[in-house]
Amino acid sequence: MLIASYNKETMGDILITMIRPDAEEAKIEQKGSVVRIADAKTNETTGFNFLNVSEIFEINGKGPITLTQEQVKQLNATLSANGFEAELVADERPKFVVGYVKSTKPHPDSDHLLITETEVDNGETLQIVSGSPNMTDNIKVVVAKVGAIMPDGMTIWPGELRGVESNGMISSGRELHLNNAPQKKGALILPDDFVVGEAFDFEKGNHIFD
């Protein structure tokens, strides 16, 4: 997994990358233009910050960045040149996709959570626990997959809800910051013209509530 973000206005010319969730206690190590963040207990890398990244390649835009295979190759070369292990792996798959809720069942330890089996891209089915009051079978939804960065900055990681594994999040229009979305809980149920498995088109999504 590889998550990347860049915002020159607020952070300077720094590319932030994450490959694991933040540890409870972090260890910071800098060599040259690279900062490694690791779990202080296990020494597993959680991410790297690349300082002056425009000296490696140009980045257009701000916020979440999808790095190409070539860009990841350049970052790994930079890691090696600075004495770090080249451990980044490119991940160009879309993180917000049109999903299809194939089935739901009650959570064994909750009276409001449901365990869904939700199809996403490439025919993959994910187990996602949802608390949406309008959750039901046979609906099209927006799935924020593991590795997605939500508009409010929250990163989606694998997790558990009351002891049940959940891999991703079925999102509401409010959580996606769509235009005119109802400011209340509830999954965004997509119209039929959205295609299961495709990347969610935010521009198209902004017209759902017109």
Side-chain angles (χ1 to χ4, degrees), residues 96 98 142 151 173 176-181 188 190-191 193-194 198-210:
F96 293 92
V98 178
V142 181
L176 296 168
H177 290 195
L178 298 181
N179 293 343
N180 304 314
L188 172 61
L190 295 172
D193 59 338
F194 283 81
E198 289 189 352
F200 176 65
D201 185 337
F202 276 81
E203 183 175 351
K204 182 178 178 181
N206 275 325
H207 296 288
I208 290 175
F209 301 103
D210 288 350

Side-chain angles (χ1 to χ4, degrees), residues 99-114:
Y100 177 73
V101 181
K102 298 164 66 174
S103 66
T104 62
K105 63 181 181 181
H107 190 292
D109 190 32
S110 171
D111 59 2
H112 72 282
L113 296 176
L114 291 174

Side-chain angles (χ1 to χ4, degrees), residues 152-163:
D152 66 0
M154 179 179 72
T155 302
I156 304 300
W157 295 105
E160 290 187 357
L161 286 175
R162 295 199 178 183

Side-chain angles (χ1 to χ4, degrees), residues 18-146:
M18 296 178 285
I19 59 177
R20 293 182 181 88
D22 291 335
E24 291 184 8
E25 184 180 353
K27 180 176 71 172
I28 310 297
E29 179 184 12
Q30 181 171 351
K31 296 180 182 179
S33 62
V34 180
V35 178
R36 176 179 179 258
I37 302 96
D39 186 321
K41 295 181 180 178
T42 66
N43 199 37
E44 284 188 322
T45 301
T46 58
F48 294 99
N49 294 344
F50 294 86
L51 314 182
N52 304 314
V53 69
S54 59
E55 296 178 2
I56 305 173
F57 50 72
E58 182 180 355
I59 296 178
N60 295 314
K62 64 180 181 180
I65 301 292
T66 300
L67 298 169
T68 66
Q69 297 276 351
E70 179 59 30
Q71 287 172 326
V72 172
K73 182 179 178 181
Q74 291 174 279
L75 292 177
N76 275 328
T78 301
L79 290 175
S80 296
N82 284 278
F84 289 114
E85 181 181 349
E87 53 183 309
L88 300 182
V89 178
D91 182 1
E92 299 181 78
R93 296 170 298 176
K95 295 297 182 291
F96 293 92
V97 301
V98 178
Y100 177 73
V101 181
K102 298 164 66 174
S103 66
T104 62
K105 63 181 181 181
H107 190 292
D109 190 32
S110 171
D111 59 2
H112 72 282
L113 296 176
L114 291 174
I115 303 170
T116 78
E117 294 294 322
T118 301
E119 181 181 344
V120 288
D121 49 327
N122 299 315
E124 181 183 12
T125 298
L126 301 176
Q127 177 173 286
I128 301 175
V129 178
S130 173
S132 296
N134 61 339
M135 184 53 56
T136 187
D137 300 357
N138 304 316
I139 56 174
K140 292 181 180 179
V141 295
V142 181
V143 175
K145 298 178 65 178
V146 169

